[in-house]
Amino acid sequence: MKDLLNMKRIGKQYLLVLAVMCVWSLWMKNSSFVSMYLVLCSSMLVLSSFAYDEQGQFDKYALTMPITRRTLVKAKYAMYLILVLGGMLFGILAGHGVGSIGRSSNVSQEGMTETGLAVGAVFLIVYGILIPVIYKIGVEKARLLMVGIYLALFGLIYGLIWLGKRRGLLVTVIGISEQQLVRLAVLGLFFFAFIVVIVSYLVSVQIVEKKEF
């Protein structure tokens, strides 16, 4: 609840930016842009929440109350999942809305949904890696790692694009359609994200339980 109240202070700014992005998506005739941007904005709020807590030394204060360290970690992970998955859902809905208004998007409605799901899974993975690092070394140092993670993701995306140019051969070998292959890839990405979140939570609990505040 505390994190959601903190986010409310900057919510109007994000709504304004989102409105601008919707107009830009219409102008570019690309409904997936607003979907991806909304997931990006909501996931960045996770980092902002940790920064607020670190600045105000909230964890030290919270531990003076009958709250366990594991509970503190659970609350952060609940917020992280709500923001990323909520951003993904609203992003997909916004993308469909923009696509319906524009009626000339260069991304199909089905393709936009798959893109939104994939982007959501990617951000689950990114912050699943980042949160334990934040607990270990702090927000500011973790920001540098985040840059490295994004660079690695760009490299991965480039590799997938390169592979995609040869997907005709892959489709022929495994005997499924391209659409089925895309759905299978998104499902696999979400499964991997699920594993990352679980491992991330367990690692974060271990770090916080040994940490001196």
Side-chain angles (χ1 to χ4, degrees), residues 59 63 67-74 135-136 201-213:
D59 289 344
L63 291 174
I67 296 175
T68 65
R69 298 184 178 218
R70 185 179 291 267
T71 299
L72 285 177
V73 177
K74 283 182 180 179
Y135 277 124
K136 186 68 176 180
Y201 169 74
L202 295 175
V203 172
S204 292
V205 168
Q206 291 296 318
I207 292 172
V208 172
E209 287 184 341
K210 296 178 180 178
K211 186 175 181 179
E212 294 184 6
F213 290 98

Side-chain angles (χ1 to χ4, degrees), residues 107-163:
V107 180
S108 68
Q109 296 291 290
E110 188 174 1
M112 193 278 301
T113 298
E114 292 165 350
T115 299
L117 291 172
V119 171
V122 167
F123 278 101
L124 283 175
I125 294 169
V126 169
Y127 282 88
I129 296 171
L130 198 62
I131 290 176
V133 179
I134 292 174
Y135 277 124
K136 186 68 176 180
I137 63 176
V139 176
E140 292 306 317
K141 293 180 180 178
R143 290 182 194 272
L144 299 176
L145 176 64
M146 185 172 65
V147 174
I149 294 173
Y150 281 124
L151 289 175
L153 283 175
F154 283 132
L156 176 62
I157 292 171
Y158 177 82
L160 291 175
I161 292 174
W162 178 85
L163 181 62

Side-chain angles (χ1 to χ4, degrees), residues 20 30 45 55 65-66 83 105 126 140 150 159 173 202:
V20 173
N30 187 340
L45 291 174
Q55 184 178 8
M65 299 183 286
L83 286 174
S105 173
V126 169
E140 292 306 317
Y150 281 124
V173 170
L202 295 175

